[in-house]
Amino acid sequence: MTIRCLAIDDEPLALKQLVAYISKVQFLELAAQCQSALEAREFLENDTVDAIFCDINMPDLNGMDFVKSLAVPPLVVFTTAYSEYAVEGFRVNAVDYLLKPFGFQEFQRAVQRLCERKGMGSSQPSQKEEADTDTLFLKTDNRIVNVNISDIRYIEAMSEYLKVWLDSQPKPIITLLSMKKIEERLPNNFMRIHRSYIINLTKIQEVNKNRVVMDADAYLPIGDLYKEAFQRYLSTKFLSR
């Protein structure tokens, strides 16, 4: 049995990761991906799906109100960075609630509950063999290097080339590749903070005014176009009294 899914999230990186996770499960079929609830509503006027993976905190129409507005809502898994929505999510009979940032294991557990609700049994969701989000193969000089994604500290654009800085070695890997191309392949713990920099969010040492400190030698600027998204990420992690 195939479960047709609709992925909804207003944040491009979060949507990209959600779509990547869906693509890794054999029986999940992505019907569409939308960056707003209004776009999703328009899609559902002409098509149907079995399940929705839906962010809650979105502009114009939030995910919770969107689901409540559907006459016959599909099965729903909510995704959000705000834990206070959990109780309300279950009030609308949500299958599950994923608190961002979530990994593939947590996603699989939500899919398992989805299967049970669909009467597909309790077997563990199978993963497509071709899916591999742990490593990248990068061409540098006359070699092809296998890079562990978790080893990447940050990526720096340099004309038509990229410098890929790793924890495991002092010198970067230099490869002929565009920022857009590598950004499409990275998981959601990576974020573009400047037209010339993509960083691994788990490797940040400090945020100092308009700069991100990755190590003693790397003080990276935060570009105006990327500042709002980065501040939004920080707000989900920031602890105060």
Side-chain angles (χ1 to χ4, degrees):
M1 184 186 293
T2 299
I3 299 178
R4 274 171 56 82
C5 303
L6 180 61
I8 313 165
D9 202 304
D10 64 310
E11 295 184 18
L13 279 175
L15 183 60
K16 182 182 75 171
Q17 186 65 74
L18 183 56
V19 167
Y21 284 167
I22 290 170
S23 73
K24 289 177 71 175
V25 179
Q26 199 73 265
F27 53 79
L28 294 184
E29 176 192 333
L30 182 66
Q33 51 182 298
C34 302
Q35 285 193 265
S36 73
L38 297 179
E39 186 184 341
R41 178 187 279 171
E42 188 176 335
F43 172 81
L44 289 175
E45 286 173 0
N46 302 300
D47 208 334
T48 60
V49 295
D50 302 304
I52 294 175
F53 291 90
C54 184
D55 185 30
I56 293 178
N57 194 40
M58 294 185 288
D60 298 324
L61 178 64
N62 73 44
M64 197 74 66
D65 291 336
F66 163 65
V67 170
K68 288 177 182 176
S69 74
L70 298 175
V72 185
L75 296 173
V76 179
V77 174
F78 283 119
T79 67
T80 184
Y82 302 94
S83 58
E84 62 266 26
Y85 287 114
V87 173
E88 193 178 351
F90 287 113
R91 281 179 185 155
V92 297
N93 202 27
V95 172
D96 207 350
Y97 176 96
L98 290 168
L99 187 62
K100 296 179 183 177
F102 54 87
F104 184 62
Q105 253 190 332
E106 294 162 287
F107 178 81
Q108 281 186 302
R109 283 196 291 270
V111 171
Q112 174 60 32
R113 293 188 180 106
L114 201 60
C115 290
E116 291 167 1
R117 194 76 76 86
K118 282 283 290 180
M120 291 174 64
S122 58
S123 59
Q124 196 66 19
S126 60
Q127 190 172 331
K128 292 181 181 176
E129 290 180 9
E130 69 270 21
D132 181 5
T133 57
D134 297 327
T135 60
L136 292 173
F137 285 92
L138 299 177
K139 189 173 183 180
T140 178
D141 299 324
N142 296 316
R143 301 175 298 136
I144 296 176
V145 182
N146 186 6
V147 175
N148 193 318
I149 290 177
S150 64
D151 192 31
I152 299 173
R153 196 158 68 251
Y154 65 95
I155 298 162
E156 179 182 0
M158 185 182 63
S159 187
E160 295 178 341
Y161 290 82
L162 298 179
K163 287 182 177 180
V164 181
W165 294 87
L166 306 175
D167 279 339
S168 59
Q169 58 187 61
K171 291 185 178 180
I173 292 171
I174 299 176
T175 183
L176 180 61
L177 199 63
S178 69
M179 290 286 268
K180 184 176 184 296
K181 197 70 177 175
I182 201 165
E183 194 173 11
E184 289 172 354
R185 184 64 178 78
L186 295 170
N188 66 350
N189 58 297
F190 284 82
M191 179 178 283
R192 194 163 181 174
I193 60 164
H194 188 276
R195 62 186 180 86
S196 298
Y197 294 103
I198 296 172
I199 64 170
N200 186 336
L201 296 166
T202 66
K203 310 281 187 180
I204 295 174
Q205 289 189 3
E206 186 180 319
V207 179
N208 189 338
K209 295 182 180 177
N210 288 324
R211 295 186 301 176
V212 175
V213 182
M214 303 303 291
D215 56 50
D217 300 313
Y219 286 66
L220 310 182
I222 304 168
D224 290 339
L225 289 175
Y226 306 92
K227 191 176 296 182
E228 185 180 345
F230 183 65
Q231 290 296 335
R232 242 189 350 253
Y233 165 77
L234 286 183
S235 69
T236 68
K237 301 292 183 182
F238 187 76
L239 295 179
S240 60
R241 288 191 303 175

